[in-house]
Amino acid sequence: MKRKSLIKIIVVIFICFIAVYFSKSFISKHFFNAMCGEEVIQKTSLNSRYKLKLHQVDCGATTGFSYNLTISKDNKNSKEIMNFEMLEDDPDIEANLSENKLNITYSQPTVISNTNSSYNDLDIRFVRKGKDFKVPSSFKGQRKNSDIDYVSLYDNELEIYQNEEIPAAQVGFAVNNKGEVKSGWNKDWLVVGTLNYEMPIFIDTAKHNSPIYVGQKRNSKWEKVQISTNNSQLQAINKKIDKISDDRFTPEDAKENPVKEKDFKEIIKTANEDQNHIKFWEDFLRGITLKPNTFL
């Protein structure tokens, strides 16, 4: 009797597992769709049969907008072919259909989540407007799920972008909104983050396992200042800063709640390697507002 009851229990558990497994995507999709609002913000007729729709998805004030591009044939069988977000500005999608080849061109600040390169008999190609950028594998290999990619202390904020955001992050430094190369920028530099949203954090793609630099402006030209030997060292610094950042949010806090001398020395010791510009970190920890021409 006990053996039969045990078998029944095992069978019930197995059935429940199968049901959950196959309904996982259905539940996830419909649950999150119910939590978000979606609006078609652009319609494009490619010809008499094929049509594109650009959808804007709003899941609340804290998440920002995401977008997806769908295609249909004869107003049937709609399929998502592109999912993306914008690092800044509004989406700018252009489409050109020639025979069975569809070219989708998107603006520089577009952060691509995924694309689908085929639909029915169409081959689909996605192109960033202007110059496109690739993230070196040597930099990607240093990234970890445990990374601290944003730290804020007093009046300074340092952010390192996710790998998929980096191609879109070149606007304003390496290129303009049209993807045209800007003067005063080295072609080998790749923006990977920002300091206070006005200074680029970047690597030198001509160097394997490049140091991390912050840009300083001199005579309308960006110059590099090394702040860490690589991303791994920057993470070690960020994690220590993150631990002491509580209740240190404003310039006034720098006077009322300065970084303890022990913590200050420990972080400077972590940063004090190779050709790193230590004054950068000293000013960061003391709450001195860092600007594009303050620490050369």
Side-chain angles (χ1 to χ4, degrees):
M1 186 65 119
K2 289 183 178 179
R3 181 179 176 82
K4 288 183 178 180
S5 297
L6 181 60
I7 292 173
K8 286 181 180 180
I9 292 171
I10 293 173
V11 169
V12 169
I13 293 174
F14 179 76
I15 292 172
C16 291
F17 174 80
I18 294 297
V20 169
Y21 179 83
F22 284 103
S23 63
K24 182 179 178 182
S25 61
F26 176 87
I27 293 171
S28 176
K29 178 180 178 180
H30 287 78
F31 174 77
F32 286 107
N33 281 350
M35 299 293 288
C36 301
E38 184 172 311
E39 176 187 5
V40 176
I41 60 173
Q42 181 181 321
K43 297 180 181 180
T44 305
S45 293
L46 300 173
N47 58 23
S48 60
R49 306 195 71 183
Y50 289 102
K51 291 180 175 59
L52 295 176
K53 289 183 180 180
L54 180 59
H55 306 252
Q56 177 177 274
V57 182
D58 182 4
C59 293
T62 58
T63 58
F65 295 129
S66 62
Y67 302 88
N68 59 71
L69 186 67
T70 60
I71 188 170
S72 63
K73 183 178 182 180
D74 300 327
N75 294 317
K76 298 177 183 178
N77 302 321
S78 178
K79 179 181 180 180
E80 181 180 299
I81 58 172
M82 181 181 180
N83 184 274
F84 64 96
E85 296 179 355
M86 298 300 298
L87 203 60
E88 59 180 57
D89 298 335
D90 295 324
D92 183 7
I93 301 292
E94 298 176 4
N96 182 284
L97 177 61
S98 178
E99 296 181 350
N100 69 331
K101 297 188 183 300
L102 173 60
N103 285 331
I104 304 291
T105 304
Y106 52 90
S107 59
Q108 275 289 322
T110 306
V111 180
I112 302 296
S113 299
N114 58 68
T115 58
N116 197 315
S117 60
S118 65
Y119 175 77
N120 285 2
D121 58 341
L122 297 183
D123 292 325
I124 308 173
R125 181 169 175 258
F126 298 88
V127 181
R128 190 181 301 275
K129 186 179 293 185
K131 185 177 179 180
D132 203 359
F133 299 84
K134 304 297 182 184
V135 183
S137 58
S138 58
F139 183 76
K140 285 184 178 179
Q142 297 179 46
R143 312 298 297 274
K144 296 180 175 61
N145 291 333
S146 59
D147 282 358
I148 302 294
D149 290 329
Y150 174 84
V151 289
S152 175
L153 189 70
Y154 303 129
D155 201 30
N156 294 306
E157 298 175 78
L158 189 154
E159 180 176 8
I160 301 297
Y161 293 118
Q162 298 297 309
N163 288 335
E164 63 271 18
E165 295 175 318
I166 289 174
Q170 309 310 306
V171 178
F173 301 114
V175 295
N176 60 23
N177 280 324
K178 295 180 179 180
E180 299 166 338
V181 177
K182 297 188 70 173
S183 61
W185 185 260
N186 188 307
K187 63 180 179 62
D188 293 324
W189 296 349
L190 182 73
V191 177
V192 298
T194 61
L195 176 67
N196 296 337
Y197 303 102
E198 60 178 342
M199 285 168 281
I201 304 292
F202 58 92
I203 60 174
D204 188 340
T205 59
K207 298 181 179 181
H208 180 72
N209 197 18
S210 168
I212 308 294
Y213 305 98
V214 62
Q216 284 282 271
K217 211 69 174 289
R218 178 180 285 174
N219 298 327
S220 301
K221 183 179 179 180
W222 288 105
E223 298 187 12
K224 63 182 183 182
V225 176
Q226 182 174 316
I227 59 173
S228 72
T229 55
N230 51 39
N231 185 65
S232 298
Q233 187 191 31
L234 180 62
Q235 283 303 313
I237 298 168
N238 280 358
K239 288 175 181 179
K240 292 181 184 296
I241 292 176
D242 187 60
K243 287 182 180 179
I244 63 167
S245 62
D246 287 348
D247 299 322
R248 293 185 169 108
F249 306 118
T250 67
E252 291 73 25
D253 292 335
K255 297 178 181 179
E256 298 173 3
N257 187 19
V259 173
K260 294 178 181 178
E261 190 65 19
K262 177 184 176 183
D263 294 328
F264 184 92
K265 288 181 177 179
E266 182 180 347
I267 294 171
I268 293 302
K269 181 180 179 181
T270 303
N272 192 11
E273 187 177 337
D274 197 26
Q275 302 176 40
N276 293 345
H277 194 83
I278 296 304
K279 187 176 184 300
F280 169 87
W281 292 113
E282 291 175 343
D283 289 352
F284 195 102
L285 293 172
R286 290 184 174 124
I288 298 172
T289 302
L290 298 171
K291 295 184 179 297
N293 56 358
T294 55
F295 50 89
L296 266 176

